[in-house]
Amino acid sequence: VYHKNFETLDKDQDSTSIRTGEEAFSGTHYTYVSPQAPFRNGVVINVTEKMLDKKLFVNGCMYIKGHHPATTETSMAISVEDSTGQVKYWTSKDLKFVSNYAEPDTWMPVTAEGVTPEMQKGYRVKVFMWNVGQKDTLWIDDSYLQVIPADGK
């Protein structure tokens, strides 16, 4: 399980992607996607022996806040690359609200999930937030990501 609460920067994370303030869901830091910043650093997972020749189940959950959260077009993107960086698989998965009501300007829990094709030696999986032509800024905090073999073994 990978957890990002945005209280500290990852080595590859751009400091301009972090905002500070009491309006964070937890702590004092959070990140965002916007028309000017359509992608956000996510998680990069190098495929291990346990993952070889298996499909991977990717499950993400996080808190989001926006002016129009019910119509957000932000999604969780999943990319699989080989050792040369060539993309072998790419998809985006819609965010699903945990509750049936999305209240504007309020932190709301969302989830997204997907399954990759079978993993090969040297592959790596990238999971990140993608702003799909959204007009508003969407704030993101406390993200959790689980990546496990789809067969559960």
Side-chain angles (χ1 to χ4, degrees):
V1 175
Y2 303 88
H3 173 233
K4 283 192 173 207
N5 63 8
F6 306 103
E7 297 304 313
T8 58
L9 286 178
D10 293 342
K11 63 181 166 107
D12 62 341
Q13 193 167 13
D14 176 7
S15 64
T16 63
S17 70
I18 301 297
R19 294 290 180 256
T20 303
E22 292 180 8
E23 62 272 11
F25 177 73
S26 70
T28 58
H29 297 81
Y30 52 100
T31 192
Y32 66 95
V33 288
S34 70
Q36 298 77 29
F39 298 95
R40 275 299 162 222
N41 296 36
V43 174
V44 178
I45 300 134
N46 292 315
V47 171
T48 64
E49 290 290 325
K50 182 180 178 182
M51 299 172 178
L52 288 179
D53 302 320
K54 294 184 178 186
K55 295 178 180 183
L56 298 179
F57 174 70
V58 180
N59 180 31
C61 63
M62 66 212 69
Y63 284 84
I64 65 168
K65 179 171 80 168
H67 298 305
H68 307 287
T71 59
T72 182
E73 293 182 29
T74 301
S75 61
M76 180 180 77
I78 303 169
S79 172
V80 177
E81 299 177 357
D82 67 14
S83 58
T84 68
Q86 182 178 359
V87 175
K88 295 297 190 178
Y89 173 80
W90 190 94
T91 190
S92 66
K93 298 298 181 179
D94 292 338
L95 300 179
K96 298 175 189 164
F97 287 90
V98 173
S99 67
N100 291 329
Y101 180 70
E103 188 173 334
D105 299 314
T106 301
W107 287 106
M108 305 289 295
V110 294
T111 64
E113 60 185 40
V115 177
T116 69
E118 290 183 356
M119 295 292 102
Q120 304 294 319
K121 188 173 182 131
Y123 277 16
R124 66 178 169 228
V125 179
K126 293 182 177 181
V127 183
F128 55 93
M129 297 303 294
W130 179 42
N131 176 5
V132 189
Q134 169 179 310
K135 295 180 179 88
D136 293 327
T137 298
L138 186 72
W139 306 101
I140 304 164
D141 203 357
D142 285 7
S143 63
Y144 296 86
L145 182 70
Q146 180 185 39
V147 180
I148 59 173
D151 65 6
K153 298 177 184 175

